[in-house]
Amino acid sequence: NTNTPAGSSLFCINHEGDVAQQIQLPAPIQKEIAVSNLFNTIHPNIIFYDEANTLHILNELLEYEEGFPLQIEANINTALISASVINTAGKDIIFGDDFGFLHIVNNTGQYHNGHPRKITNSFSGFPFVGNFDDNDSADIMMGNGRVVEFYDTQKTVGEIGWNTYRGNNGNTACILFPTEEVDETDIILPNYTNYLKQNYPNPFNPDTVIEFIIAKSETIRLDIFNVKGQKVKLLLDEHRNVGQHSVKWDGKDDSGQSVGSGIYFYKLESNSFTFIKKMVLMK
């Protein structure tokens, strides 16, 4: 592609070096163009976004797929990746914005329920999709400059178009690029650190979510206490696998009664660690 102050020209060059297709775009293209078969056919799609934060999905003839172009109401600042995370009729497009929201859009330009979803303060770098906690659901990792955020979609991961920036052995961002077999001994598994996140939302009414990361599989206990140190609710007391987990508290005690407004503490503990954080229930 070529960028000009008025926009961009996108060219499709054939194997003989001739221009096979060409279109004009209203704004310059950002980052690089990726290629993937979003509809699980033999025909590839061309995927990119421009500096006006418009998401473009084109077919092999440089024609727009139905539902695109799609205007994104945020500044996209990560690479675009694709995988069958929630979409059963093809691949989804996954990216983050500078407000820390995770976007999952299907191949017809529709957001999946619950997205965009606030994950962190701001995303940067490149997303990575895979299965990191051995529970058969799709996991997404993104960085925000200081920490790596881990998001479990709770959906079975299907075919992955490209799982990260330039996500194949040729580093071309093209799923059609020939790949080679990868020896399992070459796979580097992520290293986790025990960590208790701040609940969200906070303050909350009536529900809130508590997320935590554990570095090894072990029995985990999660309790809620009031300001007097009295136990209000046992949320969790069971064996959990290594990785990230989340638990929802509905603002009720062990007897099923709703608790009053105020400050509460949640305590996460195992044989390896103990964490305590504060949260506010505001009715």
Side-chain angles (χ1 to χ4, degrees):
N1 78 93
T2 59
N3 291 335
T4 69
S8 294
S9 295
L10 180 64
F11 299 90
C12 181
I13 310 297
N14 64 23
H15 66 284
E16 295 179 346
D18 299 323
V19 176
Q21 305 288 341
Q22 175 184 352
I23 61 169
Q24 295 296 122
L25 301 169
I29 296 173
Q30 296 296 293
K31 296 193 182 291
E32 71 177 27
I33 298 169
V35 179
S36 181
N37 51 346
L38 293 180
F39 295 87
N40 295 337
T41 68
I42 62 173
H43 302 292
N45 293 104
I46 301 168
I47 307 164
F48 59 92
Y49 67 93
D50 61 34
E51 70 174 15
N53 294 299
T54 302
L55 181 62
H56 301 261
I57 307 295
L58 308 173
N59 62 22
E60 74 276 14
L61 301 177
L62 299 190
E63 299 169 336
Y64 280 104
E65 297 286 4
E66 183 178 355
F68 297 94
L70 177 65
Q71 184 64 48
I72 306 300
E73 301 300 325
N75 292 323
I76 306 171
N77 65 349
T78 72
L80 304 176
I81 58 177
S82 75
S84 297
V85 174
I86 302 176
N87 189 3
T88 59
K91 297 183 182 67
D92 302 300
I93 305 151
I94 304 162
F95 55 93
D97 65 39
D98 60 358
F99 290 110
F101 283 86
L102 175 68
H103 299 248
I104 302 182
V105 179
N106 67 20
N107 54 16
T108 62
Q110 302 295 315
Y111 273 99
H112 290 293
N113 291 337
H115 297 87
R117 179 174 179 179
K118 180 74 170 178
I119 301 295
T120 186
N121 293 327
S122 178
F123 283 125
S124 61
F126 313 118
F128 190 99
V129 63
N131 179 16
F132 309 119
D133 52 9
D134 298 324
N135 65 355
D136 295 327
S137 65
D139 304 314
I140 300 171
M141 283 189 178
M142 284 196 195
N144 68 2
R146 295 180 299 172
V147 300
V148 175
E149 298 289 347
F150 180 101
Y151 175 57
D152 191 336
T153 66
Q154 302 295 318
K155 302 290 184 180
T156 302
V157 63
E159 182 181 356
I160 296 176
W162 70 96
N163 60 355
T164 189
Y165 178 68
R166 298 191 176 188
N168 61 33
N169 290 346
N171 293 322
T172 62
C174 177
I175 188 59
L176 306 179
F177 190 90
T179 60
E180 61 187 38
E181 292 294 327
V182 178
D183 193 300
E184 290 186 359
T185 59
D186 294 333
I187 299 175
I188 302 176
L189 298 177
N191 291 321
Y192 295 101
T193 301
N194 296 318
Y195 182 66
L196 176 61
K197 294 187 177 183
Q198 185 63 51
N199 65 300
Y200 65 90
N202 186 47
F204 65 96
N205 179 30
D207 299 337
T208 190
V209 175
I210 299 171
E211 292 187 343
F212 58 91
I213 301 171
I214 56 176
K216 66 178 183 179
S217 299
E218 59 181 327
T219 299
I220 303 297
R221 183 181 177 97
L222 179 61
D223 292 290
I224 308 295
F225 297 88
N226 60 24
V227 292
K228 297 180 180 180
Q230 300 167 327
K231 185 171 72 71
V232 173
K233 177 73 174 182
L234 171 62
L235 283 179
L236 185 68
D237 187 10
E238 64 184 35
H239 185 273
R240 287 293 180 102
N241 291 328
V242 59
Q244 177 162 309
H245 305 271
S246 64
V247 180
K248 178 183 286 187
W249 183 39
D250 59 6
K252 296 180 180 180
D253 60 21
D254 281 329
S255 64
Q257 300 298 312
S258 296
V259 300
S261 298
I263 296 174
Y264 292 86
F265 298 90
Y266 55 105
K267 179 181 180 182
L268 181 74
E269 60 181 335
S270 72
N271 291 330
S272 304
F273 58 80
T274 299
F275 295 108
I276 300 177
K277 284 187 179 291
K278 179 175 68 175
M279 57 184 169
V280 179
L281 172 58
M282 185 178 297
K283 295 186 176 180

